[in-house]
Amino acid sequence: MSITLTEKAAKHVSRFLEKRGKGIGLRFGVRTTGCSGLAYKLEYVDDSEQEDAVFESHGIKVFVDPKSLPYIDGTELDFAREGLNEGFKFRNPNVKDECGCGESFTI
């Protein structure tokens, strides 16, 4: 099982944690929502949970709760700027379909 970050994504997270002045990494998971059923959730972590799976990529720790892991195992997070927009891009090999707006997905 693995979750990875591209170098760009790791640099973005590192800069944000530095600006924030605290934090030990990034929490990555899924929540039930949207027209396709699941959506990604990201937040910065100050304290880990005992049951978290922890992955490290380019010096950044990624924390995943056990319920989310089967849906996102093997995912690579990238960070991209496209015109005026910027954000994380998810390369999840488990996704079978995505909704038209790109907000949610199914496994």
Side-chain angles (χ1 to χ4, degrees):
M1 295 199 164
S2 71
I3 305 294
T4 58
L5 300 173
T6 63
E7 194 172 337
K8 280 184 182 180
K11 284 181 181 178
H12 176 77
V13 172
S14 180
R15 281 192 303 268
F16 191 86
L17 288 172
E18 201 173 289
K19 270 190 212 177
R20 195 171 173 254
K22 63 179 180 175
I24 59 172
L26 184 69
R27 178 171 302 285
F28 179 40
V30 295
R31 60 187 164 89
T32 304
T33 189
C35 42
S36 289
L38 297 169
Y40 298 110
K41 63 179 181 176
L42 292 171
E43 58 189 22
Y44 293 96
V45 176
D46 294 327
D47 297 307
S48 66
E49 301 293 331
Q50 186 175 6
E51 67 273 4
D52 284 341
V54 182
F55 304 94
E56 190 162 339
S57 185
H58 296 286
I60 299 295
K61 288 184 181 177
V62 180
F63 299 85
V64 180
D65 69 90
K67 290 181 182 177
S68 294
L69 190 53
Y71 301 107
I72 58 177
D73 181 32
T75 299
E76 179 185 62
L77 281 78
D78 192 12
F79 189 80
R81 287 191 171 95
E82 297 170 359
L84 297 176
N85 299 318
E86 65 180 19
F88 286 98
K89 302 287 183 188
F90 306 94
R91 294 186 190 110
N92 184 342
N94 306 300
V95 170
K96 301 292 183 229
D97 196 19
E98 295 178 317
C99 70
C101 64
E103 189 68 27
S104 61
F105 63 95
T106 57
I107 299 293

